[in-house]
Amino acid sequence: MVDHRHLLEVEELSVRFPSRRGEVAAVGGLSYYVDPGEIVGIVGESGSGKSVEAMAVMRLLKKPGKVTGGRVLLDGRDMVTLSERDMESLRGRDISMIFQDPMSCLDPLFPVGMQLTETILAHEQVSAAEARMRAEKALMDVGIADGRRIMKQYPYALSGGMRQRVMIAMAMLCSPRLLIADEPTTSLDVTIQAQILEILRRMREEKNTAIVFITHNFGVVADLCDRVYVMYGGMVMEEGPVDLLFREPVHPYTVGLLGAIPRLDGDRGQRLIPVEGRPIDPTRVPPGCVFSQRCPHCMRQCEVSRPPKMDLGGGHSASCWLLRDL
């Protein structure tokens, strides 16, 4: 029997969307892994494929999008090949997701309490009274003191921060082993952001929940995550432990992103250095490195040949031809 060391293993995942301009390569050969109780960050610009890969992992891609290659293993079980009925049994119980916009997932026609209790009843054989009691406790666990009152409210009556807490409570109702959080703090003010991050951190510590945290904010990654994957053009450019990658970034894209972040310890008046150029056109993916058109160090080989992943030691690796002589 094969011993699968990782909780989640994404292997060479590819996602395509047909369009009038041609096939859109939203994700192209993406690979990463998550261990039990680990918080892994996936960071990159808008359009890099972060949210699309998350929806593909959850088997929630909207048509006409489809997975065209690769595997998504949860405890060694390939979710790409599962039936929809089997996936419905996994979602919420073994793997859950917090979406970027809670209003797109909370039904405006039903009270919060009904939506929470239905989630429990769909996966467990418990009474309605017990489901309601557990739903109230879940709201308390995410910092909502008056859970009984909130259970009677409709989503539109709640603030953005409160709706996001309800979404987190819903995602954690059945104690999933893996939680995918797709930019859950983007539209919230900094105070509420800090509270949401603390809730996620506490859930990892108390329930050993593994978390995939998708964001474009390196500051959040530095504060919350153990390891990080830097995505561009639907692929991983660089990966490694957070401290090591922040201290010694090697891929020009990672260096560019970090160089564009304001620093409190920098010289006053120092100008930020933007990453020049526009994001890649997913209908015209170059044969070489997907970052070659914006890279200040681009060579002829970068344009014609895709660089392999090069191991830098300590779990740190990057895909760049500049590293071949290191």
Side-chain angles (χ1 to χ4, degrees):
M1 186 174 183
V2 178
D3 180 19
H4 297 278
R5 183 168 55 91
H6 307 303
L7 174 61
L8 177 71
E9 296 177 79
V10 177
E11 300 178 351
E12 296 296 324
L13 180 67
S14 296
V15 178
R16 299 288 186 270
F17 290 84
S19 73
R20 294 180 180 179
R21 296 178 55 203
E23 195 172 58
V24 176
V27 179
L30 176 69
S31 297
Y32 69 92
Y33 71 89
V34 184
D35 288 331
E38 183 180 36
I39 302 181
V40 171
I42 298 181
V43 66
E45 295 171 290
S46 296
S48 61
K50 306 185 301 298
S51 295
V52 171
E53 73 84 15
M55 298 299 279
V57 168
M58 292 292 295
R59 286 275 300 275
L60 293 174
L61 276 176
K62 294 183 179 179
K63 293 183 178 181
K66 61 180 180 179
V67 174
T68 57
R71 302 193 302 168
V72 179
L73 305 176
L74 184 66
D75 269 343
R77 191 179 184 189
D78 189 359
M79 294 191 291
V80 173
T81 62
L82 293 181
S83 66
E84 182 55 32
R85 185 173 182 177
D86 287 339
M87 275 305 303
E88 287 178 355
S89 70
L90 285 178
R91 294 192 202 104
R93 188 192 68 196
D94 294 297
I95 180 171
S96 289
M97 185 168 180
I98 303 171
F99 297 90
Q100 184 173 352
D101 179 15
M103 280 304 288
S104 65
C105 305
L106 295 173
D107 195 320
L109 300 179
F110 297 96
V112 165
M114 182 179 294
Q115 299 183 55
L116 290 171
T117 54
E118 283 185 347
T119 301
I120 298 173
L121 294 173
H123 293 285
E124 300 183 25
Q125 298 293 325
V126 298
S127 66
E130 183 177 345
R132 188 171 185 83
M133 185 170 59
R134 284 177 52 181
E136 287 184 19
K137 183 181 182 304
L139 292 177
M140 292 179 60
D141 288 343
V142 296
I144 299 177
D146 193 0
R148 183 165 299 181
R149 181 182 65 84
I150 296 299
M151 293 270 285
K152 301 175 183 178
Q153 299 290 322
Y154 288 82
Y156 64 80
L158 305 179
S159 67
M162 191 68 77
R163 288 195 296 264
Q164 196 62 280
R165 289 171 188 264
V166 171
M167 272 299 305
I168 296 174
M170 184 178 293
M172 296 301 297
L173 278 172
C174 299
S175 300
R177 290 174 295 159
L178 177 66
L179 177 66
I180 298 176
D182 185 9
E183 304 204 30
T185 62
T186 297
S187 59
L188 306 177
D189 64 60
V190 292
T191 302
I192 302 300
Q193 281 187 27
Q195 293 173 1
I196 297 298
L197 295 180
E198 181 57 33
I199 289 169
L200 295 177
R201 189 180 291 109
R202 190 173 70 246
M203 288 179 173
R204 187 264 288 269
E205 293 171 353
E206 294 177 355
K207 300 183 179 181
N208 199 40
T209 304
I211 300 174
V212 176
F213 195 92
I214 299 171
T215 184
H216 60 267
N217 189 330
F218 265 112
V220 173
V221 169
D223 182 49
L224 183 69
C225 300
D226 303 309
R227 292 186 301 109
V228 59
Y229 292 84
V230 181
M231 277 189 68
Y232 180 79
M235 302 179 186
V236 172
M237 299 290 98
E238 187 169 356
E239 64 186 82
V242 167
D243 292 344
L244 183 56
L245 188 138
F246 273 63
R247 187 174 64 251
E248 301 175 8
V250 294
H251 196 284
Y253 180 58
T254 309
V255 173
L257 290 180
L258 291 173
I261 299 175
R263 297 180 61 95
L264 294 177
D265 59 351
D267 295 334
R268 187 169 183 175
Q270 182 178 0
R271 295 177 62 88
L272 300 179
I273 304 174
V275 180
E276 298 291 346
R278 297 181 179 180
I280 186 175
D281 182 347
T283 63
R284 298 178 180 176
V285 179
C289 176
V290 292
F291 188 62
S292 60
Q293 298 170 350
R294 302 175 67 186
C295 183
H297 308 289
C298 180
M299 305 175 290
R300 174 59 181 167
Q301 187 172 14
C302 303
E303 297 175 344
V304 299
S305 180
R306 189 157 295 170
K309 183 170 77 172
M310 301 186 186
D311 187 1
L312 303 172
H316 189 190
S317 64
S319 298
C320 181
W321 285 116
L322 294 173
L323 306 175
R324 59 185 171 181
D325 296 326
L326 294 182

